[in-house]
């Protein structure tokens, strides 16, 4: 059975992982754009969705553990 502590840990790990992934992509993309390399836009634009993807994957992992009704 899923406990409250499992949901709290899922939220914490999703937040940390999403922040790290999105922040690194945003930082590297911004640095490249400011340096004049247009390739930086490929990192800058999908930074937020890529960070959210990590949380979505972790939430699906928890949802699989729930009993089906």
């Amino acid at each position: 059975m899923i406990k409250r502590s499992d949901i709290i840990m899922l939220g914490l790990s999703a937040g940390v992982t999403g922040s790290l992934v999105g922040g690194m992509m945003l930082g590297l993309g911004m640095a490249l754009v400011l340096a004049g390399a247009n390739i930086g836009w490929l990192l800058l634009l999908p930074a937020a969705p890529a960070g959210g993807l990590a949380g979505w994957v972790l939430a699906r992992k928890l949802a699989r553990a729930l009993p089906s009704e």
Side-chain angles (χ1 to χ4, degrees), residues 2-62:
I2 302 299
K3 296 179 279 194
R4 185 174 183 208
S5 62
D6 295 335
I7 295 171
I8 291 171
M9 283 307 296
L10 172 73
L12 285 174
S13 60
V16 168
T17 305
S19 295
L20 286 174
V21 169
M24 283 192 314
M25 287 179 69
L26 186 69
L28 290 172
M30 186 67 75
L32 286 170
V33 168
L34 291 175
N38 289 331
I39 194 88
W41 288 107
L42 291 176
L43 288 174
L44 187 65
L45 292 176
L53 182 67
W56 181 72
V57 168
L58 289 171
R60 281 185 53 109
K61 184 177 182 181
L62 177 64

